[in-house]
Amino acid sequence: MKETVVSGIRSTGKLHLGNYYGALNNFVKMQNEYNCFFFIADLHSLTTHPTPSDLNRTVREVVVEYLAAGIDPEKSTIYVQSDVPEVSELYLYMNMNAYLGELERATAFKDKVRANPDNVNSGLLTYPVLMACDILLHHGTKVPVGKDQEQHLEMTRTFGNRFNRLYNVEYFKEAFAFSYGNKLVKIPGLDGNGKMGKSNGEASCVYLSDSPAVIRKKVMRAVSDSGPTEINQPKPEAIQNLFDLMKVVSSADTLTHFENLYDNCQIRYGDFKKQLAEDMIDATESVRLRIEDISNDEEYIKKVVRLGAEKASESARKTINEVRKIIGIKKLY
């Protein structure tokens, strides 16, 4: 039997270059060799209290962008997290065996508390439990995540192993971080620091659905400086970020050309940014056009989501029925 891959993206907005090169490209390759479950994490997104209309819209956007990136619903299971209520039931059971101290020590939780002190809800605290249940529900063993999620994966193993010990079974398997043969790609934002992310604002991100005009505008406004003043001068972070973006979307010759100009204090950032923008447009064109086509096909989107819910539910029901039996929950009538 093929090993199972499980991964999801929160429905908090449109997908960007970071999602594409950091995750979706790998998803497309994985589906040919593994049993893949790729979901839209709308329950996870409730921690930030989206409006009903925003939640519905962003779920649809992520479904469309999964498909446009090349995830095949015949090869993979694409589903919306809330369409499989078994994950919520497993979340309840696993919360009984997750302890306050270990949840409070999670690095991601502490980061969220610092960043959003007015929204420290229990969903944020138990986020690792729900993430664990997404994986355990389908007995996933490979999870394509970045380094910032590795602690959550460790907690997934902790919760699964604790369940096994508590009920004296060997039921849940251990899941580990997985990258498809390549080093995980970090895509920097246009704002001069950190990785590209929706939480950093529209100007930081190049979205897969952005028009050529929007991409050009964003890139030309990207943070830069007055230019190097010495031969072979080290690049400041904001400039290195732009070169890192060019490394991903441009040819090796183009990158070498601008590296040489920088090293010899001859670079003109206007020319550099124009080239970077055009290469981004070329790199995302096929996905952007598919997004437009798929967005207009409502029946196809509904068919994909229904098929995904059916496939995911079949796996989930089997797990929940077995978990209930292990725990001792059964009807008395």
Side-chain angles (χ1 to χ4, degrees):
M1 291 181 64
K2 294 180 179 179
E3 284 191 80
T4 296
V5 170
V6 181
S7 190
I9 294 178
R10 288 204 310 150
S11 53
T12 53
K14 296 176 288 187
L15 303 185
H16 51 68
L17 285 182
N19 299 126
Y20 184 63
Y21 288 105
L24 295 178
N25 268 356
N26 275 343
F27 289 0
V28 173
K29 297 173 186 174
M30 290 170 193
Q31 67 185 349
N32 295 313
E33 294 186 32
Y34 299 96
N35 178 33
C36 293
F37 290 86
F38 299 128
F39 64 96
I40 295 86
D42 57 336
L43 297 180
H44 281 292
S45 71
L46 294 177
T47 59
T48 55
H49 305 143
T51 64
S53 58
D54 283 347
L55 180 62
N56 184 259
R57 173 181 54 79
T58 54
V59 166
R60 187 182 188 277
E61 284 174 350
V62 178
V63 171
V64 169
E65 288 164 352
Y66 270 3
L67 295 168
I71 300 177
D72 185 344
E74 298 295 330
K75 295 179 179 178
S76 300
T77 300
I78 303 172
Y79 68 101
V80 180
Q81 189 182 28
S82 61
D83 281 347
V84 183
E86 288 82 2
V87 72
S88 299
E89 184 174 343
L90 186 59
Y91 178 43
L92 172 66
Y93 299 150
M94 299 304 283
N95 264 323
M96 304 304 179
N97 301 319
Y99 300 114
L100 180 61
E102 64 189 347
L103 295 173
E104 288 180 328
R105 286 192 297 273
T107 302
F109 174 67
K110 290 188 284 189
D111 290 344
K112 293 287 187 183
V113 170
R114 281 192 293 268
N116 302 282
D118 297 326
N119 182 30
V120 185
N121 57 69
S122 61
L124 287 174
L125 180 68
T126 59
Y127 185 103
V129 185
L130 182 54
M131 177 176 164
C133 292
D134 292 322
I135 299 163
L136 297 172
L137 192 66
H138 303 298
H139 300 275
T141 55
K142 295 185 179 297
V143 185
V145 294
K147 288 197 74 66
D148 58 336
Q149 292 290 317
E150 285 185 348
Q151 186 183 34
H152 284 171
L153 259 189
E154 183 180 340
M155 296 174 80
T156 298
R157 294 191 290 272
T158 296
F159 300 145
N161 288 333
R162 186 176 293 156
F163 179 94
N164 291 346
R165 287 196 305 273
L166 183 63
Y167 295 105
N168 196 27
V169 292
E170 292 185 9
Y171 184 67
F172 287 123
K173 300 174 183 176
E174 291 191 327
F176 293 90
F178 172 58
S179 178
Y180 198 89
N182 300 315
K183 186 178 179 182
L184 290 174
V185 178
K186 178 186 174 184
I187 304 298
L190 297 173
D191 57 351
N193 54 69
K195 68 178 184 178
M196 189 173 289
K198 289 169 275 192
S199 60
N200 295 331
E202 288 266 336
S204 171
C205 295
V206 174
Y207 295 108
L208 299 179
S209 58
D210 279 346
S211 68
V214 169
I215 293 174
R216 292 186 186 105
K217 186 175 181 179
K218 286 182 176 181
V219 174
M220 294 307 292
R221 290 181 174 178
V223 174
S224 57
D225 60 15
S226 57
T229 57
E230 298 177 12
I231 300 293
N232 296 323
Q233 177 180 314
K235 300 181 185 74
E237 182 181 10
I239 303 305
Q240 186 61 56
N241 283 351
L242 295 178
F243 274 91
D244 286 345
L245 284 167
M246 180 170 275
K247 191 181 299 182
V248 173
V249 300
S250 306
S251 69
D253 288 345
T254 298
L255 177 64
T256 299
H257 171 70
F258 283 102
E259 290 273 14
N260 288 335
L261 288 177
Y262 186 91
D263 289 342
N264 289 286
C265 301
Q266 296 175 340
I267 193 163
R268 293 162 53 122
Y269 286 131
D271 294 339
F272 173 82
K273 289 180 177 180
K274 286 177 184 175
Q275 182 67 54
L276 178 60
E278 295 310 311
D279 290 344
M280 282 184 177
I281 291 165
D282 290 344
T284 58
E285 181 179 25
S286 61
V287 177
R288 183 169 59 254
L289 294 177
R290 286 198 295 271
I291 287 173
E292 293 173 6
D293 288 342
I294 295 168
S295 291
N296 294 323
D297 194 341
E298 192 64 34
E299 286 307 308
Y300 177 61
I301 295 169
K302 289 179 179 177
K303 178 182 176 182
V304 167
V305 172
R306 277 197 299 266
L307 174 65
E310 289 170 5
K311 289 164 68 178
S313 294
E314 182 180 353
S315 168
R317 280 194 298 269
K318 182 176 184 298
T319 298
I320 282 297
N321 287 337
E322 290 169 350
V323 165
R324 286 176 182 168
K325 184 176 180 180
I326 291 168
I327 291 175
I329 295 175
K330 56 184 178 180
K331 290 180 171 39
L332 297 178
Y333 56 88

